[in-house]
Amino acid sequence: MSDTAVASHPLVDGAVGPGCKKVDPIVVADGVTRQFGGLKAVDVEHVEIPRGQITALIGPNGAGKTTFFNLLTGFDKPNTGSWSFEGRSLARVPAFKVARAGMVRTFQLTKSLGRLTVLQNMLLGATKQGGENFFTAIVKPLWAKREDEITKRAEDLLTRFKLDAKKDDYAASLSGGQRKLLEMARALMSEPTLVMLDEPMAGVNPALTQSLLGHIRGLKEEGMSVLFVEHDMHMVRHISDWVIVMAEGRIVAEGPPETVMTDQAVIDAYLGAHHDEDLGEMEVELDLPTVEEAEAAAEKKHEQQEGNH
Amino acid sequence: MRLAVPPALRMPRGLTLIVATFVAAVAMVLGLGVAGASATSATPAPPAEGAQFTVGGIIQAGPGNPIEGAEVLVEGNGIEETGVTGADGRWSVALPGPGEYTATLDPDSLPEGIEPTQPDNLTRQVNASTTSTINLLFPVGEEGAAPVVRDEGALLADRIWTQVVNGIIFGLFLALAAIGISLIFGTTGLNNFAHGEMVTFGAIVFWFLSAAFREMAFPLNVILAGVITLVASGAFGWAQDAGIHKPLRSRGVKLVQAMIVTIGLSLAVRYVFVIIFGTGDQTLNVGFSGAVDIGAARVSWTSVASAIISAVILVLVGLFLTRTRIGKATRAVSDNASLAAASGINVDRIIRIVWVLAGTLTGLSGVLYGLYRGVSWDMGFQILLLLFAAVTLGGLGSAFGALVGALFIGLATEVSAVWLPNDLRYAIALVILILVLLVRPQGFLGRKERIG
Amino acid sequence: MDWGTILGNAISQIASPTTAAYALAAIGISVHFGYTGLLNFGQAGFMAIGAYAFAIATLGFGWPVWAALLMVILASVVFAFILGLPTLRLRADYLAIVTIAAAEIVRYVVSTTGLTPVTGGASGLSGFSGGFYALNPIPEGTYGFGPFTYTADGWWVRIVGWTLVAIATVLVWLLMRSPWGRVVKGIREDEDAVRSLGKNVYSYKMQSLVLGGVLGGLAGFVFILPRAVQPGNYGTALTFFIYTLLLLGGAATVFGPIVGAMIFWVVLSLSNGIIVGLVESGIVSFLTPDQAGQIRFIIVGVALMLLVIFRPQGIFGNKKELSFSV
Ligand SMILES: Nc1ncnc2c1ncn2[C@@H]1O[C@H](COP(=O)(O)OP(=O)(O)O)[C@@H](O)[C@H]1O
Ligand SMILES: [Mg+2]
């Protein structure tokens, strides 16, 4: 069914196609399924995420991307399946241990900790803090040194993300886009090996998107692997090395960004079958919703979600 | 605080319909009950049967051999009364209200040649609380003969059966109130800690009204008092939403805060009840008398009628939720409020209707529960946790789940009283709640929530 | 009306052992609710556990005071685990329902007739504080001035009560400025976010539940020193009194619980004195003295509602936090 011209790729071991083997995978997942009532939200037979690259996970709304993220990071439990991270099985490992193993995620709906300051948000991301132990916490000299180190690192990161001026403000006072930045910076405090970003651009002011893109590229330069979910095809094409396409819970296509957009399976996934347009020309439609709408929608969804808790 | 005094209730058309059906059902069922009552009152009923709390039983020397003229002395709570068995071996004594009593069989009152088979066990402790009709068994047999007690198994089976019947009745009352909690939680996410006071409100209003209408003939007084109580209860629900929760929602106040507001309201309202009603227990006597035997269980006609009313209303609520437009909209709001709003449903209006409906149902539950076990200022607060347990067991926010949970809790509390001391039976319901949360946190019928 | 007595009674509440007990219990709730966001509605249960543990260890086992106090702590820890294990993985409202239910179970169990030999049943226990007062180093006599005049034993119970409050305050302050405090405050804001940063949220919630619960148990111990243990005292109203005073002082502030407890009791005593005075002097004729005694509950209920709506950060809480509410 695939009419891609590229049959092989330097990242791939063998032929390019959905579920293809990678030369150097960091995550390998097998037979992962998650059912909600009658709906099979995730049904991934086999997928591998390449190490040291920026991989985009795309697909129409409701394709199961967020659910797949939740499963990989231990925030949800699959019906079946197993997966490994750097060769170590992570199936049924609780979320906090997944994060400690070096696989850190952000959320589609930002989860900044409103009544902590921006700096405290950052410090919370740091690992190996003796002061997080109940008994050690009481005696400040036991953790003061580590606190200084991580404060330094946090301030550096905040400067890089242009949040240094806000460091003593409550996170709740930041704009939606700044919260996204903060969440990403906070995830980096733990020096992860794989960063998983769920819609990092949604709701972000267009003025900030360029710098966000830069930051994501920067992660790769520092040797991290990145897996991100995004709707903005322009951005996907711009920064990703590899694209995985999900639809109705399955991996329907994979490939380098230049060619995957022309894959018939991808066009079908987005537009339904019987369309033969090139997705590259569909950008305008695919860029929907506009940034303002997305920001408003994200805020609204966020409020409503808080209302439900 | 803007504690709104309800203006004339502007009821949406669908709701008027429900209330009308409601009233018709109450009238119908009571009418039905009257027929039954007059049938029983044709034979001179012992004076005890009209009262709210009775203790009684059958004294017989083996099946088909009832003892006439045996005497049981009932003492406690300021009364000292003797129940005498009739030709059918039955005796009963009216109790003035809930409390601790003792019942003693007088062995000298037994006819020649008959003696108690358990001579050491002639005095029984009786704890009247939620169960209004308490059955005691004093086994007796032919003198000298090997004690022909009904075998232990059959006695136990009788007691269990009695408690099962009581449990279903109690569970039905709980269900009326629990569905209110569940609907409010489903549509707004709020755990209403003032819900117990809505139960008490119904009972107290009904108590005042039935006292005021004392002069009126039997069915009319109940129907009039019932209708006014239900309207007032609906208005109480309306006032809570209009006066407190709607403004809180518009201010964007978080749910935890709103929940603490309901706790404050519960405390304040409960002590308003104390001031206007006092701390004593009052029985509700609507002049409706008679009792019926359902197997080994003796149940007053009032309870039977109440149970039937509850069941009918529960069915109507079910039909309302699944068949009417407003009911479907209610379920849509419970499912996903913003989606419902986006598809043109007026969410605030639905929530208002839910509060009025919950108030009405809960007030009715209070009336029926008050008829069953008497009225007190904290009767609703006492069962609030059972209501939460019922709703949690069924799955927070599921109306059908609330019904199942309420029946389960009703049965668990009553049936456990067969083995456990009476003062621990509420504890048992709460222990079950904790155990179920361990195994199936989303309740019997609930859904898991989303992350991310 | 005797204004002198009414005012004197009200002022003396500032230092009363009951106020100390409430403050201690409120520090526990500030750890749970104010810092960690745990909805423990069963603090009355922890106080009951503490009270009965002390009384039973003293009366039943004849243990010395220090051993009975260890028993108080141990029993509170166990109770916290029982509550926490099924609920801390679930949504916040489940903890609320389970804790309030468990507190009621405790009350039902200690007042059940079958346990009268151990718990005293509905009438409770008394005569357990002899060992505690025997430790009093202050010579017999009456000391102090004005409304703050107490016997040696009166001083002893106040000193012990308020010392415990001071220790708890310092401990909680030390913890909340540390990385441990940062984690629990993060959990209050959004536990999934904290989980995604590699923290064992369940374990932290449990630690917080245990810490606040032990403070509640110790509050139960302080609470019974001047009185008998009676199951009726540990109803849900007690928990909500503590929430009210905590919200009064500020749920996530260092001195909020103490200031809140003092204001709470002074205002309650004052309003009660005035209402009862009005009734007794015949100025208010539509209430009986009994009914007048109930008005305090209405005042607390309404105060709780108003506080949580209009000043969720407490009357002295941080203005800045107001804009984000709880
Ligand atoms: N907790 C849940 N309960 C029921 N259905 C869910 C839940 N979470 C996700 N879904 C459903 O699973 C499908 C995939 O959702 P999601 O993973 O959020 O998609 P995406 O992130 O790709 O937009 C959707 O149809 C969604 O409605
Ligand atoms: Mg998504």
Side-chain angles (χ1 to χ4, degrees):
Chain A
M1 164 109 147
S2 169
D3 58 0
T4 14
V6 192
S8 68
H9 188 274
L11 291 176
V12 175
D13 173 12
V16 172
C20 59
K21 274 195 158 32
K22 304 296 178 319
V23 177
D24 184 15
I26 186 163
V27 172
V28 180
D30 272 300
V32 181
T33 63
R34 176 67 168 103
Q35 196 115 18
F36 293 114
L39 172 81
K40 216 166 199 176
V42 168
D43 184 6
V44 170
E45 243 168 63
H46 183 89
V47 74
E48 298 185 1
I49 316 287
R51 182 193 308 274
Q53 307 294 326
I54 299 177
T55 307
L57 180 63
I58 65 168
N61 247 324
K65 307 178 295 290
T66 297
T67 309
F68 190 50
F69 259 44
N70 287 345
L71 294 173
L72 289 183
T73 51
F75 278 84
D76 194 3
K77 298 210 165 39
N79 296 89
T80 64
S82 61
W83 58 96
S84 64
F85 171 66
E86 299 206 284
R88 175 185 157 196
S89 169
L90 281 188
R92 269 161 285 279
V93 170
F96 76 93
K97 285 192 181 159
V98 172
R100 282 186 194 171
M103 183 164 157
V104 173
R105 67 163 308 174
T106 65
F107 294 88
Q108 184 172 349
L109 304 173
T110 45
K111 291 185 183 293
S112 60
L113 309 167
R115 281 180 301 161
L116 297 187
T117 65
V118 168
L119 181 63
Q120 283 175 322
N121 263 274
M122 293 295 290
L123 296 179
L124 200 52
T127 53
K128 302 191 194 76
Q129 299 190 55
E132 289 181 350
N133 174 291
F134 183 90
F135 296 103
T136 321
I138 299 168
V139 190
K140 188 168 180 182
L142 294 178
W143 47 265
K145 189 164 155 279
R146 176 71 181 149
E147 188 82 350
D148 287 343
E149 289 166 17
I150 60 178
T151 307
K152 175 99 197 6
R153 182 173 156 73
E155 281 166 352
D156 287 350
L157 271 168
L158 286 176
T159 313
R160 224 170 91 193
F161 280 77
K162 301 206 172 56
L163 286 170
D164 45 336
K166 300 259 180 196
K167 84 180 162 94
D168 294 321
D169 291 2
Y170 282 115
S173 67
L174 300 184
S175 76
Q178 287 171 324
R179 285 186 219 182
K180 283 263 175 199
L181 283 175
L182 172 60
E183 201 180 343
M184 200 165 136
R186 191 177 64 193
L188 299 181
M189 279 297 289
S190 66
E191 307 180 48
T193 32
L194 172 65
V195 184
M196 297 172 60
L197 308 168
D198 197 351
E199 304 204 14
M201 296 298 169
V204 175
N205 180 323
L208 277 175
T209 47
Q210 211 50 45
S211 72
L212 245 173
L213 287 181
H215 292 314
I216 295 176
R217 277 221 194 83
L219 300 182
K220 179 184 168 186
E221 274 151 32
E222 286 174 35
M224 288 177 232
S225 314
V226 178
L227 176 66
F228 74 103
V229 172
E230 192 45 66
H231 282 300
D232 183 336
M233 289 304 152
H234 180 69
M235 166 178 169
V236 168
R237 201 152 35 183
H238 208 62
I239 64 164
S240 57
D241 303 302
W242 193 254
V243 179
I244 300 175
V245 188
M246 262 182 105
E248 293 170 2
R250 299 164 185 282
I251 308 288
V252 292
E254 276 191 52
E258 314 78 56
T259 54
V260 79
M261 310 283 182
T262 60
D263 191 313
Q264 189 60 39
V266 178
I267 295 166
D268 289 350
Y270 272 91
L271 306 172
H274 316 301
H275 268 269
D276 47 10
E277 283 137 300
D278 183 332
L279 272 189
E281 290 158 18
M282 292 298 298
E283 238 167 54
V284 189
E285 276 91 337
L286 287 171
D287 272 345
L288 286 173
T290 66
V291 175
E292 291 77 31
E293 280 167 355
E295 181 140 18
E299 288 295 346
K300 197 164 171 190
K301 212 164 163 189
H302 195 67
E303 274 162 25
Q304 184 228 328
Q305 226 211 2
E306 280 176 350
N308 287 338
H309 281 258
Chain B
M1 241 233 31
R2 295 193 303 134
L3 242 189
V5 183
L9 258 174
R10 250 185 328 109
M11 275 193 283
R13 214 172 302 133
L15 199 69
T16 322
L17 198 86
I18 302 285
V19 172
T21 333
F22 209 3
V23 172
V26 174
M28 200 184 73
V29 175
L30 280 178
L32 224 128
V34 181
S38 48
T40 28
S41 54
T43 57
E49 301 212 317
Q52 298 309 303
F53 286 84
T54 60
V55 54
I58 306 182
I59 295 179
Q60 50 186 2
N65 186 9
I67 308 292
E68 188 174 358
E71 292 174 7
V72 179
L73 177 66
V74 179
E75 290 168 293
N77 225 353
I79 64 150
E80 194 169 316
E81 263 187 56
T82 305
V84 185
T85 54
D88 56 356
R90 285 193 181 278
W91 64 277
S92 75
V93 170
L95 302 177
E100 305 265 354
Y101 301 88
T102 60
T104 313
L105 172 68
D106 177 4
D108 297 336
S109 66
L110 297 174
E112 280 299 305
I114 301 290
E115 60 172 19
T117 40
Q118 299 170 359
D120 309 332
N121 190 14
L122 295 181
T123 300
R124 304 289 170 81
Q125 301 294 325
V126 179
N127 188 334
S129 52
T130 56
T131 314
S132 56
T133 312
I134 296 146
N135 281 315
L136 291 181
L137 279 157
F138 292 103
V140 298
E142 311 260 328
E143 202 163 344
V148 258
V149 199
R150 284 187 64 195
D151 72 288
E152 290 288 326
L155 282 178
L156 183 65
D158 282 359
R159 283 201 65 197
I160 294 178
W161 171 247
T162 306
Q163 294 306 85
V164 166
V165 172
N166 284 325
I168 290 174
I169 295 174
F170 185 38
L172 285 169
F173 300 161
L174 288 179
L176 283 177
I179 284 189
I181 291 193
S182 179
L183 286 174
I184 292 172
F185 180 85
T187 47
T188 64
L190 176 72
N191 276 310
N192 180 21
F193 275 77
H195 214 82
E197 279 56 54
M198 293 164 82
V199 173
T200 317
F201 180 86
I204 287 185
V205 170
F206 189 77
W207 183 80
F208 274 112
L209 290 173
S210 61
F213 299 158
R214 197 169 326 145
E215 303 300 309
M216 252 179 250
F218 162 63
L220 192 65
N221 63 351
V222 178
I223 293 173
L224 203 57
V227 170
I228 299 177
T229 304
L230 295 188
V231 172
S233 301
F236 189 39
W238 179 91
Q240 285 179 57
D241 189 45
I244 302 173
H245 294 291
K246 173 76 212 310
L248 291 188
R249 283 196 302 277
S250 340
R251 281 173 66 114
V253 167
K254 297 271 167 66
L255 284 168
V256 168
Q257 271 169 283
M259 177 159 85
I260 297 176
V261 170
T262 67
I263 288 169
L265 181 71
S266 156
L267 197 62
V269 171
R270 195 153 71 247
Y271 282 89
V272 170
F273 289 157
V274 172
I275 288 178
I276 60 180
F277 184 79
T279 49
D281 277 297
Q282 304 285 348
T283 50
L284 265 180
N285 197 335
V286 291
F288 186 27
S289 63
V292 61
D293 291 317
I294 304 175
R298 164 156 284 214
V299 186
S300 74
W301 272 113
T302 316
S303 300
V304 173
S306 302
I308 295 173
I309 294 175
S310 310
V312 169
I313 297 298
L314 289 168
V315 169
L316 289 180
V317 171
L319 291 176
F320 166 71
L321 287 177
T322 48
R323 297 291 160 81
T324 65
R325 253 187 56 233
I326 296 178
K328 285 178 189 163
T330 306
R331 292 195 302 150
V333 173
S334 299
D335 228 36
N336 185 337
S338 57
L339 195 65
S343 54
I345 293 172
N346 182 343
V347 173
D348 270 325
R349 177 161 162 268
I350 295 294
I351 290 175
R352 183 64 51 86
I353 292 172
V354 160
W355 271 97
V356 173
L357 181 64
T360 314
L361 291 174
T362 309
L364 176 66
S365 159
V367 171
L368 301 180
Y369 188 49
L371 283 166
Y372 187 64
R373 53 79 74 197
V375 181
S376 67
W377 63 284
D378 62 347
M379 59 185 284
F381 189 68
Q382 278 178 6
I383 60 165
L384 177 67
L385 288 178
L386 298 188
L387 296 176
F388 275 132
V391 172
T392 313
L393 287 186
L396 284 174
S398 146
F400 183 64
L403 170 64
V404 175
L407 286 173
F408 185 81
I409 290 291
L411 282 169
T413 47
E414 295 292 337
V415 174
S416 68
V418 172
W419 296 276
L420 279 178
N422 221 331
D423 41 11
L424 284 186
R425 60 157 140 208
Y426 284 3
I428 233 3
L430 304 179
V431 169
I432 292 174
L433 167 69
I434 294 176
L435 292 180
V436 170
L437 283 181
L438 263 174
V439 184
R440 200 178 151 78
Q442 69 273 41
F444 298 147
L445 300 168
R447 288 175 309 205
K448 286 190 77 175
E449 53 196 306
R450 298 191 61 153
I451 308 164
Chain C
M1 257 193 337
D2 180 359
W3 283 101
T5 313
I6 292 175
L7 273 178
N9 279 344
I11 295 296
S12 72
Q13 293 294 331
I14 288 181
S16 89
T18 306
T19 306
Y22 273 57
L24 203 50
I27 297 172
I29 291 294
S30 80
V31 172
H32 291 158
F33 174 69
Y35 293 111
T36 320
L38 298 176
L39 279 174
N40 170 19
F41 281 172
Q43 194 69 339
F46 279 101
M47 291 177 74
I49 293 279
Y52 275 93
F54 185 79
I56 292 172
T58 315
L59 292 174
F61 310 153
W63 288 4
V65 172
W66 65 267
L69 270 176
L70 276 184
M71 181 75 169
V72 168
I73 294 173
L74 188 71
S76 312
V77 171
V78 171
F79 190 54
F81 271 103
I82 294 174
L83 292 186
L85 285 174
T87 55
L88 290 181
R89 291 185 202 282
L90 310 177
R91 264 193 3 213
D93 355 20
Y94 285 109
L95 182 69
I97 292 172
V98 166
T99 47
I100 196 172
E104 287 290 279
I105 295 178
V106 168
R107 200 162 60 85
Y108 291 134
V109 168
V110 294
S111 46
T112 188
T113 335
L115 284 177
T116 308
V118 185
T119 62
S123 44
L125 296 168
S126 56
F128 44 79
S129 46
F132 171 78
Y133 288 109
L135 295 176
N136 185 358
I138 307 169
E140 290 262 354
T142 337
Y143 310 87
F145 60 92
F148 301 102
T149 309
Y150 315 112
T151 62
D153 280 350
W155 277 105
W156 178 229
V157 61
R158 282 170 177 79
I159 290 170
V160 171
W162 287 104
T163 305
L164 279 173
V165 171
I167 293 173
T169 304
V170 171
L171 177 68
V172 170
W173 174 74
L174 285 173
L175 281 170
M176 291 311 161
R177 65 164 190 173
S178 77
W180 187 88
R182 194 156 61 215
V183 176
V184 297
K185 285 185 237 169
I187 292 171
R188 171 189 72 195
E189 299 301 309
D190 190 324
E191 63 175 79
D192 280 334
V194 176
R195 198 171 278 131
S196 78
L197 297 172
K199 318 294 176 198
N200 187 348
V201 168
Y202 185 68
S203 160
Y204 281 99
K205 285 191 194 174
M206 191 62 97
Q207 292 170 33
S208 164
L209 190 65
V210 168
L211 171 63
V214 167
L215 295 178
L218 290 172
F221 155 71
V222 175
F223 186 66
I224 55 166
L225 288 177
R227 57 172 67 76
V229 182
Q230 278 174 332
N233 283 340
Y234 303 95
T236 42
L238 175 58
T239 301
F240 299 140
F241 278 18
I242 292 166
Y243 267 85
T244 307
L245 71 86
L246 181 65
L247 287 165
L248 203 61
T253 56
V254 177
F255 293 110
I258 300 176
V259 177
M262 288 176 173
I263 297 179
F264 180 86
W265 276 108
V266 168
V267 170
L268 214 56
S269 166
L270 200 61
S271 56
N272 206 41
I274 293 173
I275 293 166
V276 171
L278 288 174
V279 170
E280 277 172 356
S281 59
I283 300 171
V284 171
S285 52
F286 54 88
L287 289 175
T288 66
D290 257 3
Q291 289 175 329
Q294 315 286 7
I295 291 206
R296 63 161 69 188
F297 292 96
I298 300 176
I299 294 174
V300 174
V302 172
L304 182 57
M305 292 167 73
L306 296 180
L307 272 172
V308 85
I309 296 173
F310 297 108
R311 302 249 2 147
Q313 81 284 26
I315 44 182
F316 306 113
N318 185 343
K319 272 236 171 62
K320 234 160 128 193
E321 293 190 11
L322 177 64
S323 46
F324 324 125
S325 73
V326 177

